[in-house]
Amino acid sequence: MTGLYKAAFTGLRTLKKSARSSRALVILTGGSENSSLSYTINDIANQAREMQIPVYTIAVGMNAETYSLRYLADYTGGRFYKIAQPSQAAQVLREIANSYRSYYDVSFNPGSSGLQEIADCPGTVYTTLALSDGMEMVREMRAWNTE
């Protein structure tokens, strides 16, 4: 039995007490939620968003339920990861930790001039941002909800 939502809610409650300005919740699971009776994925997502705590989710193996983990990460400003083996978790955790040292912040207003066609077509817009220092390139694809 996996009480993922109860554990996530407990983690958020613990983070709420923290005085640190940079807070994040990381959920690492290899299964699916099947025993939390008090909380739903929406409860966790809304609470995390209200507290401005991004939730990073890591699905391990083939049995992990990816839909709700991806939703939770996207809704709260975190990121979803899928790995094949638990041994790959350390690399993902390092990436998350490093993202708090340096990061980029991108936003757009679909109603601004030049983007009217996006404003007139509600739905999801997919964009790719690429940053390069000449030697390495970092690419990030992101879905933007324009509704």
Side-chain angles (χ1 to χ4, degrees), residues 30-83:
S32 61
E33 165 55 53
N34 59 13
S35 69
S36 291
L37 301 174
S38 303
Y39 305 104
T40 67
I41 189 70
N42 289 329
D43 295 332
I44 304 308
N46 290 331
Q47 184 70 29
R49 196 170 196 178
E50 180 182 308
M51 295 169 59
Q52 298 180 338
I53 297 176
V55 179
Y56 295 85
T57 57
I58 306 169
V60 182
M62 298 300 293
N63 294 329
E65 179 201 348
T66 60
Y67 179 79
S68 60
L69 296 176
R70 186 180 305 273
Y71 163 75
L72 184 58
D74 287 345
Y75 189 77
T76 62
R79 187 167 180 188
F80 169 77
Y81 298 88
K82 178 139 179 62
I83 58 176

Side-chain angles (χ1 to χ4, degrees), residues 74 108 123-128 140-146:
D74 287 345
F108 75 91
T124 303
V125 175
Y126 295 92
T127 59
T128 301
E140 176 77 21
M141 196 281 262
R142 194 74 183 163
W144 304 80
N145 187 350
T146 60

